[in-house]
Amino acid sequence: MQFRARAIQAVRNFFIERNYLEVDTPALSPDLIPETCLEVFKTEYFEPWNEKKHQLFLVPSPEIYIKKLIGQHKVSIFQLSKCYRNVESVGNLHSPEFTMLEYYTMNADYEDSLKITEELFEYLQKELKIESKNIGSAPFTKVTMNEAFEKLAGFSLDDCPNACDLEKHAIELGLNPQPDENWADLFEMIFVHKVEQNLKNLTTPPGLPVFLTDYPSAVRCLAQNVKNPSAIPCKERWELYVNGIELANCYSEETDAENIKEYFAVEGTEKNETARIPHAIDQNYWQNFRNFPKCSGVAIGVDRLIMSLLEKKTINSVLPFPLEVKEQF
């Protein structure tokens, strides 16, 4: 607990020293950004003076409010907050309630955020007086998604513009794709089973940090397009893996209001068709981006970060109160 307290304070000091504004946004929201990759928690607010009730949701990320602040004030921002994701396993690497660090840097892209993140990890080890075997020293290994597939799955994504191309490789790799799966689903299957779990083998010694960059555009997200992709369209996005575990996610943030509007329409429709817990979506959220600044945002799971710094194997070992799921009677 003492190390956790010092680590969180060191994170806060790092960004304050660099003139980021610390913010404190709501945990309850009437609507959320539609993301088909996650589920949320739903609750209700009852007005005390009548029978009226209002549906609310626990935020899976402070992003929905932080971007409103950025659009209005155009300053670099960071936040340490509790976040909530439903239908998550409880144990080694997941918890339905977890601590998130998000930081957004003005006039920056994902390459700038990569350097800032390396500086953060170096700063933490110095301030906490540790040399974590999981972290090592910067610069960290950096590979594109296409390079990772070539090295770990044995083929290039650039040679697979169609779903049938990926399906062929999935079968050759011993996977069992369902008929008529789309490109994004086939990509995810191969990535999870053949690439992600082997990323730790790309460093010497194994397990040091790896920045996995340039995600295919078919995996929808609110990131800028890579200006000159090698073949298939890609997004300016990276994820940071340490010892094979995802710690961080970064975008060169999408700033085009019309693209945001389209994303909400497409992702929102799919979300409400497939989600176990559908949620309200602010159809006017895109208007926050009419004059949105160039910026890059990073989200880091703080519990996993502390786990990695301490060379632990589970987040339960660094949580003061790991969630206990009890039978209901």
Side-chain angles (χ1 to χ4, degrees):
M1 288 176 63
Q2 290 177 342
F3 183 90
R4 183 184 179 94
R6 290 192 294 116
I8 290 174
Q9 187 59 54
V11 168
R12 181 171 278 114
N13 291 344
F14 176 86
F15 289 103
I16 290 174
E17 288 171 12
R18 286 156 180 77
N19 298 314
Y20 286 70
L21 175 67
E22 182 174 11
V23 296
D24 183 19
T25 61
L28 287 170
S29 180
D31 43 53
L32 300 171
I33 295 173
E35 296 176 273
T36 54
C37 61
L38 56 84
E39 297 283 354
V40 300
F41 285 92
K42 178 173 67 175
T43 187
E44 293 174 331
Y45 164 66
F46 291 84
E47 292 184 2
W49 50 87
N50 56 37
E51 297 299 317
K52 192 173 183 180
K53 63 182 180 181
H54 304 268
Q55 198 170 76
L56 294 171
F57 303 91
L58 289 169
V59 296
S61 159
E63 174 186 1
I64 188 168
Y65 285 107
I66 288 179
K67 285 185 173 177
K68 291 180 180 180
L69 294 175
I70 291 173
Q72 189 174 7
H73 301 289
K74 299 173 176 57
V75 295
S76 295
I77 279 175
F78 82 97
Q79 178 167 349
L80 286 154
S81 62
K82 291 295 184 182
C83 295
Y84 307 87
R85 298 185 182 181
N86 213 336
V87 197
E88 292 271 1
S89 60
V90 177
N92 289 345
L93 299 176
H94 295 89
S95 175
E97 177 183 347
F98 61 99
T99 303
M100 179 90 87
L101 163 67
E102 290 204 10
Y103 47 99
Y104 292 75
T105 309
M106 297 303 100
N107 300 310
D109 62 15
Y110 73 145
E111 294 282 1
D112 298 309
S113 284
L114 187 152
K115 296 183 179 68
I116 293 166
T117 303
E118 288 180 332
E119 291 172 6
L120 170 63
F121 278 63
E122 297 256 291
Y123 180 92
L124 290 176
Q125 291 189 98
K126 179 180 177 183
E127 291 298 304
L128 298 170
K129 297 180 172 58
I130 61 169
E131 293 183 7
S132 173
K133 295 177 182 177
N134 289 331
I135 306 300
S137 58
F140 300 152
T141 297
K142 175 183 168 185
V143 295
T144 67
M145 184 65 80
N146 192 49
E147 291 169 340
F149 265 72
E150 288 177 337
K151 293 178 180 180
L152 301 174
F155 69 94
S156 169
L157 288 173
D158 285 345
D159 296 331
C160 299
N162 302 310
C164 60
D165 303 314
L166 280 184
E167 182 181 37
K168 174 185 173 183
H169 285 293
I171 294 170
E172 290 174 350
L173 290 167
L175 304 176
N176 186 30
Q178 298 300 307
D180 300 321
E181 286 200 70
N182 62 36
W183 196 98
D185 288 340
L186 289 163
F187 163 84
E188 184 70 14
M189 174 188 290
I190 299 170
F191 175 68
V192 168
H193 292 285
K194 298 299 179 180
V195 178
E196 186 178 41
Q197 61 183 274
N198 293 311
L199 286 171
K200 60 186 176 183
N201 297 323
L202 295 180
T203 63
T204 303
L208 291 175
V210 174
F211 285 109
L212 185 57
T213 74
D214 298 357
Y215 277 57
S217 296
V219 182
R220 290 193 299 266
C221 66
L222 291 172
Q224 297 276 349
N225 294 322
V226 170
K227 304 302 184 292
N228 297 299
S230 54
I232 62 171
C234 295
K235 293 288 186 179
E236 291 192 351
R237 172 187 180 185
W238 54 254
E239 289 189 324
L240 175 62
Y241 284 80
V242 175
N243 201 25
I245 299 166
E246 179 203 339
L247 285 196
N249 188 22
C250 169
Y251 302 160
S252 296
E253 297 294 340
E254 178 62 78
T255 60
D256 187 286
E258 291 301 320
N259 289 343
I260 302 287
K261 185 178 182 180
E262 180 184 9
Y263 175 92
F264 268 61
V266 173
E267 193 79 356
T269 298
E270 185 175 337
K271 179 74 174 180
N272 284 318
E273 288 176 350
T274 62
R276 292 177 64 175
I277 305 121
H279 60 73
I281 297 167
D282 181 0
Q283 299 299 339
N284 294 316
Y285 190 76
W286 63 274
Q287 295 187 27
N288 295 298
F289 295 82
R290 288 186 180 276
N291 188 26
F292 202 79
K294 175 184 177 181
C295 65
S296 176
V298 180
I300 293 182
V302 173
D303 307 310
R304 290 185 181 184
L305 171 61
I306 294 170
M307 176 190 78
S308 297
L309 289 169
L310 285 175
E311 301 176 15
K312 301 291 185 179
K313 294 183 179 180
T314 71
I315 61 169
N316 278 357
S317 63
V318 301
L319 291 175
F321 296 98
L323 181 66
E324 294 184 32
V325 180
K326 298 180 180 180
E327 293 293 334
Q328 300 297 309
F329 297 98

